[in-house]
């Protein structure tokens, strides 16, 4: 059974959130365990992205991948890491979500 490339893309975006958050804990890659975990997330994210891009156009796939990572990382930062929860920031997250949905719905894939 072949897995839908959009599933690969969503999983790649989730892995991107993992390595983006992980970077905060590597302390410039001076902390071994967080650095290894973060590198693992990076490799897995890029691998899953490469699988998705076999069928999804590069512009759509890359934009959605980075969008998922950006939105998820911003939300995790707000909920768990004390980042600002200003309404302007939340509104911008919704703008990114709108862009991602537009790319998906206007894609030929």
């Amino acid at each position: 059974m072949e897995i839908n490339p959009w599933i690969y893309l969503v999983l790649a975006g989730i892995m991107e959130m993992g390595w983006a958050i992980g970077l905060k804990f590597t302390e410039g890659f001076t902390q071994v365990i967080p650095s290894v975990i973060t590198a693992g997330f990076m490799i897995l994210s890029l691998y899953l992205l490469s699988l998705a891009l076999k069928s999804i156009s590069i512009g759509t796939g890359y934009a959605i991948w980075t969008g998922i990572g950006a939105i998820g990382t911003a939300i995790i930062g707000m909920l768990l890491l004390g980042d600002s929860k200003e309404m302007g920031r939340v509104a911008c997250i919704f703008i990114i979500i709108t862009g991602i949905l537009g790319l998906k719905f206007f894609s030929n894939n």
Side-chain angles (χ1 to χ4, degrees):
M1 179 176 89
E2 189 170 321
I3 296 177
N4 185 315
W6 292 98
I7 293 172
Y8 286 132
L9 187 58
V10 169
L11 292 173
I14 292 168
M15 295 300 109
E16 185 189 4
M17 292 177 346
W19 70 258
I21 295 297
L23 284 174
K24 181 166 183 68
F25 299 98
T26 67
E27 296 183 24
F29 289 101
T30 61
Q31 301 299 309
V32 175
I33 292 180
S35 296
V36 169
I37 292 169
T38 299
F41 277 121
M42 288 175 172
I43 292 166
L44 187 55
S45 178
L46 290 172
Y47 174 70
L48 291 167
L49 177 62
S50 75
L51 294 177
L53 293 179
K54 287 181 176 181
S55 303
I56 298 171
S57 68
I58 186 69
T60 299
Y62 183 77
I64 291 174
W65 175 67
T66 58
I68 291 169
I71 291 165
T73 301
I75 291 171
I76 291 169
M78 286 186 231
L79 295 177
L80 302 177
L81 302 175
D83 289 357
S84 169
K85 298 177 181 92
E86 292 180 40
M87 286 308 299
R89 294 188 74 197
V90 174
C92 289
I93 288 172
F94 281 104
I95 291 168
I96 297 169
I97 291 170
T98 302
I100 288 173
L101 291 173
L103 287 170
K104 166 62 175 124
F105 291 124
F106 293 109
S107 173
N108 292 332
N109 310 92

